[in-house]
PDB file of all heavy atoms in Angstrom:
ATOM      1  N   LEU A 113      12.674   1.823   1.503  1.00 96.00           N
ATOM      2  CA  LEU A 113      11.496   2.140   0.678  1.00 96.00           C
ATOM      3  C   LEU A 113      11.836   3.156  -0.416  1.00 96.00           C
ATOM      4  O   LEU A 113      11.357   3.042  -1.552  1.00 96.00           O
ATOM      5  CB  LEU A 113      10.393   2.678   1.605  1.00 96.00           C
ATOM      6  CG  LEU A 113       9.054   3.015   0.988  1.00 96.00           C
ATOM      7  CD1 LEU A 113       8.465   1.811   0.257  1.00 96.00           C
ATOM      8  CD2 LEU A 113       8.089   3.507   2.066  1.00 96.00           C
ATOM      9  N   LEU A 133       1.780   0.562  -0.259  1.00 96.00           N
ATOM     10  CA  LEU A 133       2.562  -0.414   0.513  1.00 96.00           C
ATOM     11  C   LEU A 133       1.740  -1.697   0.622  1.00 96.00           C
ATOM     12  O   LEU A 133       0.529  -1.671   0.889  1.00 96.00           O
ATOM     13  CB  LEU A 133       2.930   0.146   1.880  1.00 96.00           C
ATOM     14  CG  LEU A 133       3.765   1.438   1.830  1.00 96.00           C
ATOM     15  CD1 LEU A 133       4.362   1.749   3.194  1.00 96.00           C
ATOM     16  CD2 LEU A 133       4.883   1.368   0.784  1.00 96.00           C
ATOM     17  N   GLU A 136      -0.695  -2.946   3.879  1.00 95.00           N
ATOM     18  CA  GLU A 136      -1.818  -2.185   4.454  1.00 95.00           C
ATOM     19  C   GLU A 136      -3.033  -2.365   3.561  1.00 95.00           C
ATOM     20  O   GLU A 136      -2.947  -2.175   2.352  1.00 95.00           O
ATOM     21  CB  GLU A 136      -1.483  -0.691   4.506  1.00 95.00           C
ATOM     22  CG  GLU A 136      -0.483  -0.343   5.578  1.00 95.00           C
ATOM     23  CD  GLU A 136      -0.185   1.160   5.611  1.00 95.00           C
ATOM     24  OE1 GLU A 136      -1.110   1.968   5.561  1.00 95.00           O
ATOM     25  OE2 GLU A 136       1.009   1.481   5.671  1.00 95.00           O
ATOM     26  N   TYR A 173       5.957   5.541  12.436  1.00 97.00           N
ATOM     27  CA  TYR A 173       5.541   6.143  11.165  1.00 97.00           C
ATOM     28  C   TYR A 173       6.401   7.328  10.757  1.00 97.00           C
ATOM     29  O   TYR A 173       7.097   7.916  11.589  1.00 97.00           O
ATOM     30  CB  TYR A 173       4.107   6.662  11.299  1.00 97.00           C
ATOM     31  CG  TYR A 173       3.080   5.584  11.538  1.00 97.00           C
ATOM     32  CD1 TYR A 173       2.659   5.279  12.832  1.00 97.00           C
ATOM     33  CD2 TYR A 173       2.537   4.876  10.474  1.00 97.00           C
ATOM     34  CE1 TYR A 173       1.706   4.291  13.054  1.00 97.00           C
ATOM     35  CE2 TYR A 173       1.582   3.891  10.686  1.00 97.00           C
ATOM     36  CZ  TYR A 173       1.173   3.604  11.974  1.00 97.00           C
ATOM     37  OH  TYR A 173       0.243   2.631  12.189  1.00 97.00           O
ATOM     38  N   GLY A 174       6.240   7.719   9.465  1.00 98.00           N
ATOM     39  CA  GLY A 174       6.660   9.048   9.055  1.00 98.00           C
ATOM     40  C   GLY A 174       5.618  10.005   9.617  1.00 98.00           C
ATOM     41  O   GLY A 174       4.438   9.683   9.646  1.00 98.00           O
ATOM     42  N   GLU A 194      10.919  10.907   9.549  1.00 97.00           N
ATOM     43  CA  GLU A 194      10.716   9.464   9.538  1.00 97.00           C
ATOM     44  C   GLU A 194      10.883   8.894  10.954  1.00 97.00           C
ATOM     45  O   GLU A 194      11.908   9.111  11.597  1.00 97.00           O
ATOM     46  CB  GLU A 194      11.703   8.797   8.565  1.00 97.00           C
ATOM     47  CG  GLU A 194      11.644   7.274   8.520  1.00 97.00           C
ATOM     48  CD  GLU A 194      10.345   6.688   7.941  1.00 97.00           C
ATOM     49  OE1 GLU A 194       9.444   7.441   7.546  1.00 97.00           O
ATOM     50  OE2 GLU A 194      10.229   5.450   7.910  1.00 97.00           O
ATOM     51  N   LYS A 195       9.862   8.226  11.438  1.00 97.00           N
ATOM     52  CA  LYS A 195       9.872   7.525  12.726  1.00 97.00           C
ATOM     53  C   LYS A 195      10.522   8.342  13.854  1.00 97.00           C
ATOM     54  O   LYS A 195      11.537   7.922  14.420  1.00 97.00           O
ATOM     55  CB  LYS A 195      10.542   6.167  12.562  1.00 97.00           C
ATOM     56  CG  LYS A 195       9.865   5.342  11.468  1.00 97.00           C
ATOM     57  CD  LYS A 195      10.099   3.878  11.547  1.00 97.00           C
ATOM     58  CE  LYS A 195       9.243   3.127  10.555  1.00 97.00           C
ATOM     59  NZ  LYS A 195       9.880   2.686   9.333  1.00 97.00           N
ATOM     60  N   VAL A 207       2.012   9.206   8.416  1.00 98.00           N
ATOM     61  CA  VAL A 207       1.908   8.914   6.988  1.00 98.00           C
ATOM     62  C   VAL A 207       1.516   7.447   6.827  1.00 98.00           C
ATOM     63  O   VAL A 207       2.204   6.559   7.333  1.00 98.00           O
ATOM     64  CB  VAL A 207       3.271   9.168   6.297  1.00 98.00           C
ATOM     65  CG1 VAL A 207       3.223   8.775   4.829  1.00 98.00           C
ATOM     66  CG2 VAL A 207       3.705  10.624   6.465  1.00 98.00           C
ATOM     67  N   LEU A 208       0.411   7.201   6.130  1.00 97.00           N
ATOM     68  CA  LEU A 208       0.013   5.808   5.852  1.00 97.00           C
ATOM     69  C   LEU A 208       0.598   5.357   4.512  1.00 97.00           C
ATOM     70  O   LEU A 208       1.170   6.163   3.776  1.00 97.00           O
ATOM     71  CB  LEU A 208      -1.511   5.688   5.831  1.00 97.00           C
ATOM     72  CG  LEU A 208      -2.252   6.086   7.108  1.00 97.00           C
ATOM     73  CD1 LEU A 208      -3.729   5.731   6.991  1.00 97.00           C
ATOM     74  CD2 LEU A 208      -1.652   5.385   8.333  1.00 97.00           C
ATOM     75  N   GLY A 209       0.411   4.085   4.195  1.00 97.00           N
ATOM     76  CA  GLY A 209       1.084   3.503   3.030  1.00 97.00           C
ATOM     77  C   GLY A 209       0.433   3.730   1.685  1.00 97.00           C
ATOM     78  O   GLY A 209       0.347   2.812   0.864  1.00 97.00           O
ATOM     79  N   TYR A 211       0.633   6.750  -1.412  1.00 98.00           N
ATOM     80  CA  TYR A 211       1.266   7.998  -1.839  1.00 98.00           C
ATOM     81  C   TYR A 211       0.879   8.270  -3.287  1.00 98.00           C
ATOM     82  O   TYR A 211       0.756   7.336  -4.080  1.00 98.00           O
ATOM     83  CB  TYR A 211       2.802   7.870  -1.820  1.00 98.00           C
ATOM     84  CG  TYR A 211       3.426   7.403  -0.515  1.00 98.00           C
ATOM     85  CD1 TYR A 211       3.387   6.061  -0.127  1.00 98.00           C
ATOM     86  CD2 TYR A 211       4.104   8.291   0.310  1.00 98.00           C
ATOM     87  CE1 TYR A 211       3.984   5.635   1.053  1.00 98.00           C
ATOM     88  CE2 TYR A 211       4.710   7.869   1.496  1.00 98.00           C
ATOM     89  CZ  TYR A 211       4.639   6.533   1.865  1.00 98.00           C
ATOM     90  OH  TYR A 211       5.228   6.098   3.030  1.00 98.00           O
ATOM     91  N   GLN A 233      15.282   6.386   2.770  1.00 98.00           N
ATOM     92  CA  GLN A 233      13.887   6.538   3.183  1.00 98.00           C
ATOM     93  C   GLN A 233      13.114   7.397   2.191  1.00 98.00           C
ATOM     94  O   GLN A 233      13.570   8.493   1.826  1.00 98.00           O
ATOM     95  CB  GLN A 233      13.823   7.174   4.587  1.00 98.00           C
ATOM     96  CG  GLN A 233      14.441   6.328   5.682  1.00 98.00           C
ATOM     97  CD  GLN A 233      13.641   5.051   5.964  1.00 98.00           C
ATOM     98  OE1 GLN A 233      12.517   4.877   5.478  1.00 98.00           O
ATOM     99  NE2 GLN A 233      14.221   4.149   6.746  1.00 98.00           N
ATOM    100  N   THR A 235      10.426   8.889   2.960  1.00 98.00           N
ATOM    101  CA  THR A 235      10.035  10.071   3.746  1.00 98.00           C
ATOM    102  C   THR A 235      11.078  11.185   3.618  1.00 98.00           C
ATOM    103  O   THR A 235      10.729  12.359   3.507  1.00 98.00           O
ATOM    104  CB  THR A 235       9.908   9.677   5.241  1.00 98.00           C
ATOM    105  OG1 THR A 235       8.976   8.617   5.323  1.00 98.00           O
ATOM    106  CG2 THR A 235       9.439  10.831   6.101  1.00 98.00           C
ATOM    107  N   ARG A 262      -8.495   1.166   8.210  1.00 95.00           N
ATOM    108  CA  ARG A 262      -7.244   0.709   7.605  1.00 95.00           C
ATOM    109  C   ARG A 262      -6.797  -0.526   8.371  1.00 95.00           C
ATOM    110  O   ARG A 262      -6.891  -0.569   9.598  1.00 95.00           O
ATOM    111  CB  ARG A 262      -6.242   1.832   7.736  1.00 95.00           C
ATOM    112  CG  ARG A 262      -4.831   1.392   7.586  1.00 95.00           C
ATOM    113  CD  ARG A 262      -3.956   2.371   8.303  1.00 95.00           C
ATOM    114  NE  ARG A 262      -2.593   1.989   8.096  1.00 95.00           N
ATOM    115  CZ  ARG A 262      -1.742   1.812   9.089  1.00 95.00           C
ATOM    116  NH1 ARG A 262      -2.110   1.984  10.341  1.00 95.00           N
ATOM    117  NH2 ARG A 262      -0.517   1.458   8.833  1.00 95.00           N
TER     118      ARG A 262
HETATM  119  C1  G1P B 401       6.880   2.970   5.991  1.00 84.18           C
HETATM  120  C2  G1P B 401       7.351   4.420   5.861  1.00 84.18           C
HETATM  121  C3  G1P B 401       6.717   5.270   6.958  1.00 84.18           C
HETATM  122  C4  G1P B 401       5.214   5.134   6.902  1.00 84.18           C
HETATM  123  C5  G1P B 401       4.818   3.648   7.023  1.00 84.18           C
HETATM  124  C6  G1P B 401       3.333   3.479   6.822  1.00 84.18           C
HETATM  125  O1  G1P B 401       7.436   2.412   7.159  1.00 84.18           O
HETATM  126  O2  G1P B 401       8.766   4.467   5.931  1.00 84.18           O
HETATM  127  O3  G1P B 401       7.069   6.623   6.775  1.00 84.18           O
HETATM  128  O4  G1P B 401       4.628   5.891   7.931  1.00 84.18           O
HETATM  129  O5  G1P B 401       5.482   2.871   6.024  1.00 84.18           O
HETATM  130  O6  G1P B 401       2.952   2.173   7.124  1.00 84.18           O
HETATM  131  P1  G1P B 401       7.506   0.810   7.406  1.00 84.18           P
HETATM  132  O7  G1P B 401       6.166   0.436   7.991  1.00 84.18           O
HETATM  133  O8  G1P B 401       7.758   0.197   6.075  1.00 84.18           O
HETATM  134  O9  G1P B 401       8.616   0.615   8.367  1.00 84.18           O
END
Side-chain angles (χ1 to χ4, degrees):
L113 183 56
L133 301 193
E136 287 181 46
Y173 296 96
E194 177 67 0
K195 304 201 172 101
V207 176
L208 301 188
Y211 306 77
Q233 296 292 350
T235 303
R262 161 205 183 233

